[in-house]
Amino acid sequence: MTDRDRLRRHADLADRMASTLGIDLQEVAIKGAITPDDISDIVLRCADCPNPDDCAGFLARNAQSKCTPEYCRNQELFGRLVP
C-alpha cells in the first residue's frame, strides 16, 4: 500500500469513526471547534494506529456509538466533540 493509499484509508476510518460518534468534522470545523489543521492531525494520528483492521471491524459492528475503541488515537479529541 502506498503512503497515499494509507492516508486515504485512515482519512476514511477517521471520518467514519467521527460519524459513528455523531460528529460531522466539516461542520465542527466551520463552527470553529476545530481547525483544518486539527482534521489533518486526526488523520495523521489515525495513520499511526497499529489496529486499522480492528477499527474497520469496530465500525462495521457499531453503526452508532458513544465512544471510540480504547486504542483509538483520537479518543480524547473525539470525546470532546461528541454532541
Side-chain angles (χ1 to χ4, degrees):
M1 181 180 292
T2 67
D3 285 342
R4 185 180 203 153
D5 290 337
R6 186 169 157 265
L7 285 175
R8 282 184 179 164
R9 179 178 189 206
H10 286 276
D12 177 61
L13 288 171
D15 188 53
R16 288 174 50 208
M17 184 64 72
S19 293
T20 295
L21 297 167
I23 302 164
D24 181 326
L25 291 174
Q26 185 175 16
E27 182 179 316
V28 295
I30 289 168
K31 290 181 178 179
I34 60 173
T35 67
D37 285 342
D38 291 330
I39 294 174
S40 295
D41 290 342
I42 288 168
V43 173
L44 292 174
R45 275 192 298 276
C46 183
D48 283 338
C49 178
N51 298 309
D53 292 333
D54 291 341
C55 182
F58 172 87
L59 291 167
R61 291 185 306 275
N62 296 282
Q64 293 181 338
S65 182
K66 298 276 185 196
C67 61
T68 65
E70 191 172 296
Y71 55 80
C72 182
R73 305 272 170 121
N74 289 299
Q75 185 177 44
E76 183 181 325
L77 178 63
F78 286 160
R80 289 192 316 249
L81 297 174
V82 172

